[in-house]
Amino acid sequence: MTEPVCPGCGAGVAAHARFCQVCGSRIGAPDDTSTIPVTVPVSAEGPAAQPGSVPDAGSLPAGVLALVVERGPDTGTRFLLAGAERFTIGRENSSDVFLDDVTVSRRHATVARDSGAWSLRDEGSLNGTYVNGRRCPESPLSTGDRVTVGKFHFIVQMGPAS
C-alpha cells in the first residue's frame, strides 16, 4: 500500500491526517465538504476585512453561519455551520470546526443557534475565546463580528434568519 502524500509539499502523511506536519497544508478527501476555500485579500499588514473580501450575508442560505479564517493557519477557509443547532470548535478530530493547532483546546468552544439567533460559548479553554477583541465566556454573534480562537481569526457571516 502506498503512503499518502501532502498535495502541498509531497511529504508523507499519516492516513488519518487532516494537515501536513511539514508544511501545514490541509489534507482532505475529495468528498470533504467541511471547508470551502474563499479568497481573502492579503495586504502588507496581513489579511484585512475589505469590501468584498468575504461573502455577504445574502450569499449564504437562510439559517447558515460561516466562520471565515481571516488570519492565521488556513487563511481563506470558510467553515459553514448548518443542519444542527450546536457545533463544536476545537483540536479534537471529531470537532465540527477542526482547528489543528496547539493554541486551540481539544474542546475549545461551541456555536449554538436558539430561535434563529447564534451565540458562541467558551468551553473552559486555556487560551480563551475572543469576540471583537474581548475575551468572553459567552457572546451573541452577528455578521461582521471578529472571533479569535487560538491563532485563528475569523469573520462571522450569516445567512438570513430562518
Side-chain angles (χ1 to χ4, degrees):
M1 179 175 225
T2 306
E3 179 180 312
V5 295
C6 169
C9 69
V13 295
H16 65 282
R18 288 181 146 192
F19 295 89
C20 174
Q21 291 182 323
V22 175
C23 73
S25 293
R26 187 170 200 55
I27 310 293
D31 59 347
D32 180 5
T33 59
S34 62
T35 61
I36 299 171
V38 296
T39 302
V40 177
V42 177
S43 68
E45 295 81 36
Q50 300 171 5
S53 65
V54 294
D56 63 21
S59 68
L60 293 172
V64 174
L65 180 135
L67 293 174
V68 181
V69 181
E70 177 187 34
R71 193 171 74 231
D74 288 341
T75 297
T77 300
R78 181 168 66 164
F79 295 89
L80 297 177
L81 306 182
E85 299 299 314
R86 180 181 208 72
F87 301 90
T88 57
I89 299 172
R91 194 168 32 97
E92 196 167 63
N93 280 336
S94 62
S95 297
D96 298 305
V97 177
F98 174 69
L99 304 175
D100 192 17
D101 189 86
V102 296
T103 62
V104 178
S105 296
R106 284 183 179 86
R107 293 183 190 108
H108 199 100
T110 55
V111 175
R113 184 173 58 173
D114 185 26
S115 302
W118 290 93
S119 63
L120 176 73
R121 187 175 83 203
D122 185 86
E123 295 294 337
S125 67
L126 181 63
N127 291 325
T129 303
Y130 296 79
V131 177
N132 297 322
R134 297 187 65 206
R135 186 174 182 159
C136 51
E138 189 164 356
S139 176
L141 292 175
S142 301
T143 292
D145 282 346
R146 301 287 197 283
V147 174
T148 305
V149 175
K151 291 181 180 178
F152 295 82
H153 298 258
F154 298 97
I155 298 174
V156 175
Q157 292 293 316
M158 295 182 191
S162 56

